[in-house]
Amino acid sequence: MSRRVRLGVNIDHVATVRNARGGAHPDPARAAEQALSAGADGITAHLREDRRHITDADIDVLSALCRRADRPLNFEMAVTDEMLAIALRHKPHAACLVPERREEVTTEGGLAVAGHEARIQPVVRTLSDVGIRVSLFIEPSQDQVAAANAVGAQVVEFHTGRYCHVSGTERAGELERLKAAATQAHALGLEVHAGHGLDFATAAEILVIPEIVELNIGHFLIGEAVFVGLDAAIRRMRTAMDAASSGLNA
Ligand code: PXP
């Protein structure tokens, strides 16, 4: 059965390159505009506690840009009072709650929802109450899916880092784990997204999981843009995803 899976483009690493020189170029807002015109369904940005890439000013501009373009901004945030206040000020279409440790290079694992329900549930409720769609970035495991449902999230985004990192039988095993978690989440009424480390091949392959309705992809697309341009990289990803979700090979 053919379906159109949404593509959220994460533009954090445009800001990483900009910040390497401390100036204004390359501008993440320009990348967001280009991403939308190339076929991205929405923009994803992670305002980290240490502001290593996206800044508060970027979020101001991206919020206004997405509102003008009538496209969703997916605001990735740690579960902190500071980030909650920023989300409530901007009221993005969506907030994705992620774990954050200062010393990590990237978001290295999923949010531990199981065991931390008391901390996470009020944040989910506060965001949901003002109309922000709340997603929890979790490992594809049974206890995390059950906990995400218990705290009232509308969406789970499965961390695909491990799946993308391993190969052979280990990759096949990870795909099975993702399938089982997607089936469980869907049965509970949760919307299923996936992201982290995806490239053309893994993004296409993972769409054998019919419950997935959105992928969020950043690092690979921004890296690929160095060689082919952002527009071409996103168009190729769109084509790969469309082909995979209609049962064809790109
Ligand atoms: N989804 C979430 C929740 C993330 O934290 C990230 C990385 O910031 C991504 C998707 C995108 O991962 P990548 O940059 O590896 O494509």
Side-chain angles (χ1 to χ4, degrees):
M1 190 184 66
S2 179
R3 70 199 204 276
R4 188 180 186 284
V5 176
R6 295 191 303 267
L7 170 62
V9 172
N10 180 315
I11 43 106
D12 291 350
H13 296 304
V14 178
T16 303
V17 176
R18 176 197 60 193
N19 296 356
R21 285 291 170 95
H25 182 78
D27 179 6
R30 183 174 164 199
E33 272 173 351
Q34 204 173 31
L36 293 174
S37 67
D41 296 286
I43 298 300
T44 293
H46 184 180
L47 184 66
R48 279 182 168 268
E49 185 196 12
D50 62 9
R51 310 309 199 256
R52 70 175 72 158
H53 37 57
I54 293 294
T55 64
D56 298 70
D58 289 328
I59 294 295
D60 292 346
V61 173
L62 292 169
S63 289
L65 186 156
C66 286
R67 199 156 284 129
R68 254 195 333 273
D70 197 21
R71 299 290 186 90
L73 174 66
N74 177 28
F75 178 67
E76 287 183 12
M77 54 177 271
V79 185
T80 64
D81 293 343
E82 183 200 16
M83 288 301 150
L84 180 60
I86 294 170
L88 293 174
R89 196 163 70 243
H90 286 291
K91 295 196 181 61
H93 170 82
C96 181
L97 306 189
V98 301
E100 203 172 295
R101 284 184 300 117
R102 253 178 200 278
E103 65 275 17
E104 69 191 356
V105 175
T106 180
T107 311
E108 282 162 10
L111 185 68
V113 184
H116 297 90
E117 290 88 343
R119 172 76 188 114
I120 294 169
Q121 185 164 36
V123 176
V124 173
R125 192 180 310 122
T126 304
L127 292 166
S128 303
D129 281 351
V130 298
I132 300 171
R133 186 196 70 187
V134 182
S135 161
L136 301 181
F137 189 44
I138 57 171
E139 292 297 321
S141 75
Q142 217 178 357
D143 58 339
Q144 296 301 345
V145 173
N149 184 54
V151 299
Q154 292 139 280
V155 180
V156 283
E157 178 167 330
F158 290 128
H159 194 303
T160 51
R162 182 167 160 70
Y163 159 72
C164 291
H165 189 67
V166 296
S167 56
T169 52
E170 270 191 289
R171 165 83 62 87
E174 277 303 306
L175 190 58
E176 288 309 312
R177 208 160 78 94
L178 284 157
K179 276 184 190 165
T183 305
Q184 179 195 358
H186 185 73
L188 290 169
L190 293 161
E191 189 172 303
V192 179
H193 301 180
H196 203 91
L198 294 168
D199 61 13
F200 294 134
T202 47
E205 187 185 57
I206 203 174
L207 294 188
V208 297
I209 302 174
E211 290 86 4
I212 294 178
V213 298
E214 180 175 311
L215 297 181
N216 284 297
I217 308 179
H219 184 266
F220 174 77
L221 287 173
I222 304 308
E224 194 62 11
V226 170
F227 303 108
V228 301
L230 188 58
D231 186 271
I234 291 171
R235 285 183 198 280
R236 186 166 161 207
M237 183 59 80
R238 185 71 267 165
T239 303
M241 288 169 58
D242 289 346
S245 54
S246 62
L248 304 168
N249 289 319

